[in-house]
Amino acid sequence: MKSILSDFSNFWSALEANQKVSFFMATVILIAGSVGISIWANRPEMRLLYGGLDEKGASSIVQHLEDASIPYEIRYGGSAVFVPQKEVYKARMDIAASGVSSNESVGFEIFDKNSFGASDFIQRTNFIRAIQGELSRTIAQLRNVQSARVMVVMPENRLLVSQRSADTTASVFVDVGGASLSQQVVQSIQALVANSVEGLMKSKVTVVDNNGKVLSSDEDENSMVAASSAILRYRQSVESYFSAKVESMLESALGVGNATVRVHAEIDSEESTKSEEVFNDESSALLSSVTKEQTSTSSNPTAGGPVGLPDAAAAALGGGTSEEDSRMRDQQYAVDRTVTSTSRAAGTIRSLTASVFVAPKTEIAAEGEPAQVVPRTAAEINQLRDIVAKALGIDLENPASGAVEVQEMPSMRESTTAFEVAAAESAGFDLTQLMQFGSEIIGSLFALLLSIIFLVMYRKTKDQPSPFDQMERIASSMQSGGRGGAEVTPDLLNQLISQSPDNTAASIKTWLQQKDES
């Protein structure tokens, strides 16, 4: 231990003033950096407890964490609360058990408290508040939606429906930050709200974002515009379905990225009903047959008989009689009749047209030679056309059913594969993982950097000869008669004295004492 202290004392006394300052600063930086890295590495890793909070919800959660003595951090302008990773799930369960809400909206838990004696108006108001709160919480769970508020306006219940002042309406405010919502998501929000409130129609739900933009359309579900929009969405879904179907089939045979397919669908947007009635004169059936028979008798007086006598007297005197029979037949026949009624709904596919781009074939060349690109023959193109036509149900001999066009185009997939893979990897890489990985290695790198700086400064300090070493060499040279040492000159002594007067004086004093003893 004494030798180490003695060596350090000699080393320290041999340093110049600027070297001592540099050594001291390097030591302080190294110790401070090591302490800081140790504190930073040992601090707990913070995880998100709740995000997208309003001021009231954040203050309630922070108060609960302070009462539970759980460390926390508030980030993102007070809308997010972070706690140590090991405390996340326990804190969430404690907050849920204590009834602290992470959002200002109130759901059906408003009815958990006893409201005995409340009027019908209060109960109705609480019911509307509960529906609004539950819908707000549900919509806030959608992707790209940070927070949401729902306002429902329900008309007052009356005895007669005709006396109702207006229809039920709803307004939805969504905070999407810098993102945007697709029309499909907006329609989902409208459908969710409309099916959660009694008597509310989907067209009566208005969706507005934080940028003041109305996202929903005010068209009626039975209007022509709504019908046209539905047909357009149906057409897009049909085209996407057939394009993906054919493209996946071709990529299985030709390779991924070697085929691009686009399908155009002609959709019949009209609804029609056709009734047809056909009579067949050559075919008939007997429905009924009625036959009537009738017999009548009449008498004729003889010639020359008394005029004016009755018929009976005339007959007795020798007159004649006559009988007459009649027959009538009534028959009814049913004519063969065919009645056909055909109804065709909107959305029938009239025809399909497909455009296909395929890449040329690539043949593997000999070792050391580049691959050869060989164009496809006309027979191969026709074979691909037939395959696509059969997959889409198109009769190439019937132009009315559709058409298929196949063209061979140079593929650019080879040159963009690396870029697309890197883009896909970067799109799927989580920034949180990067920060966590950096926090684990940055401390070690920083400590290594400080050690390297310290070693470089120490090496520069050792390489420079100190006045004490030079005086020792001079003393040795003068004691040995100037053999193997430096030559003592007035210029050398003046230079040593100007650089370090104290060290030079101490060296000369030590040298003189050693000379007297010898």
Side-chain angles (χ1 to χ4, degrees):
M1 186 66 181
K2 292 182 179 179
S3 61
I4 296 176
L5 294 176
S6 177
D7 293 341
F8 181 77
S9 177
N10 294 333
F11 168 74
W12 183 260
S13 61
L15 296 178
E16 297 182 1
N18 57 345
Q19 294 175 340
K20 292 180 179 179
V21 172
S22 300
F23 181 83
F24 179 76
M25 293 297 297
T27 304
V28 171
I29 293 174
L30 181 62
I31 295 175
S34 301
V35 173
I37 292 172
S38 177
I39 296 174
W40 180 67
N42 293 328
R43 71 183 182 89
E45 186 177 358
M46 307 301 286
R47 292 294 184 184
L48 178 65
L49 179 64
Y50 286 107
L53 301 173
D54 50 25
E55 296 179 356
K56 184 177 180 180
S59 62
S60 301
I61 292 176
V62 167
Q63 183 63 39
H64 177 81
L65 295 176
E66 290 180 351
D67 296 339
S69 300
I70 299 177
Y72 64 89
E73 292 182 3
I74 300 177
R75 302 179 185 177
Y76 304 115
S79 62
V81 178
F82 286 74
V83 296
Q85 183 177 5
K86 62 180 181 180
E87 300 286 348
V88 172
Y89 302 108
K90 182 178 181 300
R92 287 179 181 174
M93 289 187 291
D94 292 343
I95 290 175
S98 62
V100 177
S101 176
S102 60
N103 200 294
E104 186 179 358
S105 59
V106 179
F108 281 105
E109 66 271 9
I110 194 174
F111 294 105
D112 294 340
K113 299 179 181 179
N114 187 10
S115 57
F116 179 77
S119 62
D120 292 340
F121 176 78
I122 298 298
Q123 293 288 356
R124 179 178 174 80
T125 303
N126 290 337
F127 177 72
I128 296 177
R129 289 182 60 193
I131 291 180
Q132 294 176 164
E134 295 294 337
L135 288 174
S136 300
R137 295 174 183 177
T138 305
I139 296 173
Q141 301 299 319
L142 297 176
R143 182 177 298 177
N144 295 334
V145 177
Q146 298 181 2
S147 62
R149 292 194 65 182
V150 179
M151 286 73 73
V152 178
V153 179
M154 300 180 67
E156 184 180 357
N157 291 330
R158 295 182 182 272
L159 182 61
L160 300 178
V161 178
S162 59
Q163 295 180 354
R164 301 184 66 172
S165 58
D167 296 330
T168 304
T169 59
S171 301
V172 182
F173 173 81
V174 290
D175 184 0
V176 296
S180 60
L181 298 181
S182 62
Q183 191 64 28
Q184 183 178 3
V185 177
V186 175
Q187 292 179 358
S188 301
I189 294 175
Q190 288 181 288
L192 175 66
V193 176
N195 290 299
S196 301
V197 180
E198 182 182 2
L200 179 60
M201 299 178 60
K202 183 179 177 182
S203 59
K204 298 296 183 180
V205 180
T206 304
V207 183
V208 182
D209 64 1
N210 57 314
N211 298 319
K213 181 180 178 181
V214 179
L215 304 179
S216 59
S217 57
D218 55 354
E219 58 192 27
D220 190 2
E221 295 181 356
N222 298 324
S223 64
M224 295 298 295
V225 178
S228 300
S229 301
I231 290 294
L232 180 59
R233 291 192 297 269
Y234 172 71
R235 174 182 173 182
Q236 292 175 348
S237 63
V238 169
E239 293 176 347
S240 300
Y241 167 74
F242 284 112
S243 298
K245 176 182 178 181
V246 177
E247 189 168 339
S248 62
M249 179 186 65
L250 294 179
E251 286 184 347
S252 301
L254 305 179
V256 178
N258 290 327
T260 301
V261 181
R262 294 294 181 269
V263 176
H264 173 74
E266 286 289 341
I267 304 296
D268 189 359
S269 59
E270 297 181 356
E271 296 183 0
S272 61
T273 302
K274 180 181 179 182
S275 297
E276 184 178 2
E277 186 174 0
V278 179
F279 295 92
N280 188 2
D281 297 336
E282 298 179 357
S283 177
S284 60
L286 179 63
L287 294 179
S288 63
S289 177
V290 179
T291 303
K292 295 181 180 180
E293 295 183 357
Q294 184 178 0
T295 302
S296 60
T297 302
S298 60
S299 59
N300 297 322
T302 57
V307 179
L309 293 176
D311 293 341
L317 293 175
T321 62
S322 64
E323 294 181 358
E324 181 177 356
D325 296 335
S326 64
R327 180 179 295 178
M328 185 185 339
R329 179 178 295 177
D330 184 8
Q331 295 180 340
Q332 293 183 358
Y333 292 88
V335 180
D336 188 6
R337 182 183 64 172
T338 303
V339 179
T340 304
S341 179
T342 304
S343 298
R344 185 178 60 182
T348 305
I349 301 177
R350 291 181 178 177
S351 63
L352 295 174
T353 304
S355 300
V356 182
F357 286 154
V358 294
K361 294 188 299 182
T362 302
E363 294 184 355
I364 301 177
E367 185 177 357
E369 296 182 2
Q372 300 294 329
V373 177
V374 180
R376 287 183 170 82
T377 61
E380 293 175 336
I381 295 296
N382 292 331
Q383 185 179 8
L384 292 176
R385 182 181 293 108
D386 293 338
I387 293 174
V388 174
K390 291 180 179 179
L392 296 176
I394 298 175
D395 186 7
L396 296 179
E397 297 180 358
N398 182 14
S401 64
V404 177
E405 183 67 24
V406 179
Q407 293 289 337
E408 190 177 47
M409 299 292 291
S411 177
M412 302 300 294
R413 301 289 294 185
E414 291 80 2
S415 60
T416 59
T417 299
F419 173 78
E420 292 179 352
V421 170
E425 292 179 352
S426 62
F429 192 78
D430 191 2
L431 182 60
T432 306
Q433 297 178 357
L434 177 62
M435 296 177 63
Q436 182 178 0
F437 178 74
S439 63
E440 295 176 356
I441 65 172
I442 192 171
S444 302
L445 294 178
F446 186 69
L448 180 61
L449 179 62
L450 290 179
S451 301
I452 293 175
I453 294 175
F454 176 76
L455 292 176
V456 170
M457 296 179 64
Y458 178 72
R459 178 174 294 180
K460 290 182 178 180
T461 303
K462 288 189 63 177
D463 292 342
Q464 295 179 357
S466 63
F468 181 79
D469 295 335
Q470 294 186 14
M471 291 300 302
E472 289 292 333
R473 288 196 297 270
I474 293 172
S476 300
S477 175
M478 295 182 68
Q479 289 178 1
S480 61
R483 297 187 302 272
E487 183 180 359
V488 179
T489 60
D491 294 336
L492 179 59
L493 291 174
N494 291 332
Q495 183 179 0
L496 294 176
I497 294 171
S498 61
Q499 291 179 357
S500 180
D502 298 335
N503 292 339
T504 304
S507 299
I508 293 175
K509 183 177 180 181
T510 303
W511 173 61
L512 292 176
Q513 290 177 356
Q514 293 176 355
K515 185 176 181 181
D516 292 340
E517 293 176 356
S518 62

